[in-house]
Coordinates of all heavy atoms in Angstrom, one line a residue:
L19 N -13.7 111.4 130.7 CA -13.3 112.8 130.8 C -11.8 113.1 130.7 O -11.5 114.2 130.2 CB -13.9 113.4 132.1 CG -15.4 113.6 132.2 CD1 -15.7 114.3 133.6 CD2 -15.9 114.4 131.1
E20 N -11.0 112.2 131.1 CA -9.6 112.6 131.3 C -8.9 113.0 130.0 O -8.2 114.1 130.0 CB -8.8 111.4 131.8 CG -7.4 111.7 132.3 CD -6.8 110.6 133.1 OE1 -6.8 109.4 132.6 OE2 -6.3 110.9 134.2
P21 N -9.1 112.4 128.8 CA -8.5 112.9 127.6 C -8.9 114.3 127.2 O -8.1 115.1 126.7 CB -8.9 111.9 126.5 CG -9.3 110.6 127.3 CD -9.9 111.1 128.6
R22 N -10.2 114.6 127.5 CA -10.7 115.9 127.2 C -10.1 117.0 128.1 O -9.8 118.1 127.6 CB -12.2 115.9 127.4 CG -13.0 117.1 126.9 CD -14.4 117.0 127.2 NE -15.0 115.8 126.8 CZ -16.3 115.5 126.9 NH1 -17.2 116.4 127.5 NH2 -16.8 114.3 126.5
L23 N -9.9 116.7 129.4 CA -9.3 117.7 130.3 C -7.8 117.8 130.2 O -7.2 118.8 130.4 CB -9.7 117.4 131.7 CG -11.3 117.4 132.0 CD1 -11.5 117.1 133.5 CD2 -11.9 118.7 131.6
E24 N -7.2 116.6 129.8 CA -5.7 116.6 129.7 C -5.2 117.7 128.8 O -4.1 118.2 129.0 CB -5.2 115.2 129.3 CG -4.9 114.3 130.5 CD -3.7 114.8 131.3 OE1 -2.7 115.2 130.7 OE2 -3.8 114.9 132.5
V25 N -5.9 117.9 127.7 CA -5.4 118.9 126.7 C -5.5 120.3 127.2 O -4.8 121.2 126.7 CB -6.2 118.7 125.4 CG1 -6.1 117.4 124.8 CG2 -7.7 119.0 125.6
E26 N -6.2 120.5 128.3 CA -6.4 121.8 128.9 C -5.3 122.1 129.9 O -4.8 123.2 130.1 CB -7.7 122.0 129.5 CG -8.9 121.8 128.6 CD -9.0 122.9 127.5 OE1 -8.5 124.0 127.8 OE2 -9.5 122.6 126.4
F27 N -4.9 121.0 130.6 CA -3.9 121.2 131.7 C -2.6 121.7 131.3 O -2.1 121.3 130.1 CB -3.8 119.9 132.5 CG -5.1 119.5 133.2 CD1 -5.3 118.1 133.6 CD2 -6.0 120.4 133.5 CE1 -6.4 117.7 134.2 CE2 -7.2 120.0 134.2 CZ -7.4 118.7 134.5
L28 N -1.8 122.4 132.1 CA -0.5 122.9 131.7 C 0.6 121.9 132.0 O 0.4 121.0 132.9 CB -0.3 124.2 132.5 CG -1.3 125.3 132.3 CD1 -0.9 126.6 133.0 CD2 -1.6 125.6 130.8
E29 N 1.7 122.1 131.4 CA 2.8 121.2 131.5 C 3.4 121.2 133.0 O 3.9 120.2 133.4 CB 4.0 121.6 130.6 CG 3.8 121.1 129.2 CD 3.8 119.6 129.1 OE1 4.7 118.9 129.7 OE2 2.8 119.0 128.5
N30 N 3.3 122.3 133.7 CA 3.9 122.3 135.0 C 3.0 121.7 136.1 O 3.3 121.9 137.3 CB 4.3 123.8 135.4 CG 3.2 124.8 135.2 OD1 2.0 124.4 135.0 ND2 3.5 126.0 135.2
S31 N 1.9 121.1 135.7 CA 1.1 120.3 136.6 C 1.4 118.8 136.5 O 1.3 118.3 135.4 CB -0.4 120.5 136.3 OG -1.2 119.6 137.0
Y32 N 1.8 118.2 137.6 CA 2.4 116.8 137.5 C 1.5 115.8 138.2 O 1.7 114.6 138.0 CB 3.8 116.8 138.0 CG 4.8 117.5 137.2 CD1 5.0 118.9 137.2 CD2 5.6 116.8 136.3 CE1 6.0 119.5 136.4 CE2 6.6 117.4 135.5 CZ 6.7 118.7 135.6 OH 7.7 119.4 134.8
G33 N 0.7 116.2 139.1 CA 0.0 115.2 140.0 C -1.1 114.4 139.4 O -2.0 115.0 138.7
Y34 N -1.0 113.1 139.5 CA -2.1 112.2 139.1 C -2.5 112.4 137.6 O -3.7 112.5 137.3 CB -3.3 112.4 140.0 CG -3.0 112.4 141.4 CD1 -3.1 113.5 142.2 CD2 -2.6 111.2 142.0 CE1 -2.8 113.5 143.6 CE2 -2.3 111.1 143.4 CZ -2.4 112.3 144.2 OH -2.1 112.2 145.5
R35 N -1.5 112.5 136.8 CA -1.7 112.7 135.3 C -1.0 111.6 134.6 O 0.1 111.1 135.0 CB -1.3 114.1 134.9 CG -2.0 115.2 135.5 CD -1.6 116.5 135.0 NE -1.7 116.6 133.5 CZ -1.2 117.6 132.8 NH1 -0.5 118.5 133.3 NH2 -1.3 117.6 131.4
P36 N -1.5 111.2 133.4 CA -0.8 110.2 132.6 C 0.5 110.6 132.2 O 0.7 111.8 131.8 CB -1.8 110.0 131.4 CG -3.1 110.6 131.8 CD -2.8 111.6 132.8
N37 N 1.5 109.7 132.2 CA 2.9 110.0 131.8 C 3.6 111.1 132.5 O 4.5 111.7 132.0 CB 2.9 110.3 130.3 CG 2.2 109.2 129.4 OD1 2.5 108.0 129.6 ND2 1.4 109.6 128.5
K38 N 3.1 111.3 133.8 CA 3.8 112.3 134.6 C 4.0 111.6 136.0 O 3.2 110.7 136.4 CB 3.0 113.6 134.8 CG 3.1 114.5 133.5 CD 2.3 115.8 133.7 CE 2.5 116.7 132.5 NZ 3.8 117.3 132.5
S39 N 5.0 112.1 136.7 CA 5.3 111.4 138.0 C 5.8 112.4 139.0 O 6.2 113.6 138.7 CB 6.3 110.3 137.8 OG 7.6 110.9 137.5
A40 N 5.8 112.0 140.3 CA 6.4 112.8 141.3 C 7.9 113.1 141.1 O 8.4 114.2 141.3 CB 6.1 112.2 142.7
L41 N 8.6 112.1 140.6 CA 10.0 112.2 140.4 C 10.3 113.2 139.3 O 11.2 114.0 139.4 CB 10.6 110.9 140.0 CG 12.1 110.8 139.8 CD1 12.8 111.3 141.1 CD2 12.6 109.4 139.4
S42 N 9.4 113.3 138.3 CA 9.6 114.3 137.2 C 9.4 115.7 137.8 O 10.1 116.6 137.4 CB 8.5 114.0 136.1 OG 8.8 112.8 135.5
A43 N 8.4 115.8 138.7 CA 8.2 117.1 139.3 C 9.4 117.6 140.2 O 9.8 118.7 140.1 CB 6.9 117.1 140.2
V44 N 10.0 116.6 140.9 CA 11.1 116.9 141.7 C 12.3 117.3 140.8 O 13.0 118.3 141.2 CB 11.5 115.7 142.6 CG1 12.9 115.9 143.2 CG2 10.4 115.4 143.6
K45 N 12.5 116.6 139.7 CA 13.6 117.0 138.8 C 13.4 118.4 138.2 O 14.4 119.1 138.0 CB 13.7 115.9 137.7 CG 14.3 114.6 138.2 CD 14.4 113.6 137.1 CE 15.0 112.3 137.5 NZ 15.1 111.3 136.4
K46 N 12.2 118.7 138.0 CA 11.9 120.1 137.4 C 12.2 121.1 138.4 O 12.8 122.2 138.1 CB 10.4 120.2 136.9 CG 10.1 121.5 136.2 CD 11.0 121.6 135.0 CE 10.6 122.9 134.2 NZ 11.5 123.1 133.0
V47 N 11.8 120.9 139.7 CA 12.2 121.9 140.7 C 13.7 122.0 140.9 O 14.2 123.1 141.0 CB 11.5 121.4 142.1 CG1 12.1 122.3 143.2 CG2 10.0 121.5 142.0
Q48 N 14.4 120.9 140.8 CA 15.8 120.9 140.9 C 16.4 121.7 139.8 O 17.4 122.5 140.0 CB 16.4 119.5 140.9 CG 17.9 119.4 141.2 CD 18.4 118.0 141.3 OE1 17.8 117.1 140.6 NE2 19.4 117.8 142.1
E49 N 15.9 121.6 138.6 CA 16.3 122.4 137.5 C 16.1 123.9 137.7 O 16.9 124.7 137.4 CB 15.6 121.9 136.2 CG 15.9 122.7 134.9 CD 15.1 122.2 133.8 OE1 14.9 121.0 133.7 OE2 14.6 123.0 133.0
N50 N 14.9 124.2 138.2 CA 14.5 125.6 138.4 C 15.3 126.3 139.4 O 15.6 127.5 139.3 CB 13.0 125.7 138.7 CG 12.1 125.4 137.5 OD1 12.6 125.4 136.4 ND2 10.9 125.1 137.8
V51 N 15.7 125.6 140.5 CA 16.4 126.3 141.6 C 17.8 126.6 141.2 O 18.5 127.4 141.8 CB 16.4 125.5 142.9 CG1 15.0 125.3 143.5 CG2 17.1 124.1 142.7
R52 N 18.3 126.0 140.1 CA 19.6 126.4 139.6 C 19.6 127.7 138.8 O 20.6 128.4 138.7 CB 20.1 125.3 138.7 CG 20.5 124.0 139.4 CD 20.8 122.9 138.4 NE 21.1 121.6 139.2 CZ 21.1 120.4 138.6 NH1 20.7 120.3 137.4 NH2 21.4 119.4 139.4
K53 N 18.4 128.1 138.4 CA 18.2 129.4 137.7 C 17.7 130.5 138.6 O 17.9 131.7 138.3 CB 17.3 129.2 136.5 CG 17.7 128.2 135.5 CD 16.8 128.1 134.3 CE 15.4 127.5 134.8 NZ 14.5 127.3 133.6
H54 N 16.9 130.2 139.6 CA 16.3 131.2 140.4 C 16.7 131.0 141.9 O 16.7 129.9 142.4 CB 14.8 131.1 140.3 CG 14.3 131.2 138.9 ND1 14.4 132.3 138.1 CD2 13.7 130.2 138.1 CE1 13.9 132.1 136.9 NE2 13.5 130.8 136.9
S55 N 16.9 132.1 142.6 CA 17.4 132.1 143.9 C 16.4 132.0 145.0 O 16.6 131.7 146.1 CB 18.3 133.4 144.2 OG 19.3 133.5 143.3
W56 N 15.1 132.3 144.6 CA 14.1 132.4 145.6 C 12.9 131.4 145.3 O 12.6 131.2 144.1 CB 13.5 133.8 145.7 CG 14.5 134.8 146.2 CD1 15.5 135.4 145.5 CD2 14.7 135.2 147.6 NE1 16.3 136.2 146.4 CE2 15.8 136.1 147.6 CE3 14.0 134.9 148.8 CZ2 16.2 136.7 148.8 CZ3 14.4 135.5 150.0 CH2 15.5 136.4 150.0
V57 N 12.3 130.9 146.3 CA 11.2 130.0 146.2 C 10.0 130.4 147.1 O 10.3 130.8 148.2 CB 11.7 128.5 146.5 CG1 10.5 127.6 146.9 CG2 12.4 127.9 145.3
I58 N 8.8 130.2 146.6 CA 7.6 130.2 147.4 C 7.2 128.8 147.6 O 6.8 128.1 146.7 CB 6.5 131.0 146.8 CG1 6.9 132.5 146.6 CG2 5.2 130.9 147.7 CD1 5.8 133.3 145.8
D59 N 7.4 128.3 148.9 CA 6.9 127.0 149.2 C 5.5 127.1 149.7 O 5.2 127.5 150.8 CB 7.8 126.4 150.3 CG 7.5 125.0 150.7 OD1 6.6 124.4 150.1 OD2 8.1 124.5 151.7

Side-chain angles (χ1 to χ4, degrees):
L19 288 183
E20 193 168 52
R22 190 183 308 182
L23 299 182
E24 266 296 311
V25 299
E26 301 294 331
F27 295 157
L28 304 184
E29 278 297 313
N30 51 12
S31 167
Y32 289 83
Y34 309 109
R35 295 182 58 189
N37 304 315
K38 286 181 173 286
S39 68
L41 185 57
S42 298
V44 170
K45 287 181 177 179
K46 186 61 179 178
V47 169
Q48 189 176 29
E49 175 186 321
N50 288 343
V51 295
R52 290 170 180 162
K53 299 183 293 182
H54 305 294
S55 301
W56 295 83
V57 156
I58 298 173
D59 181 5

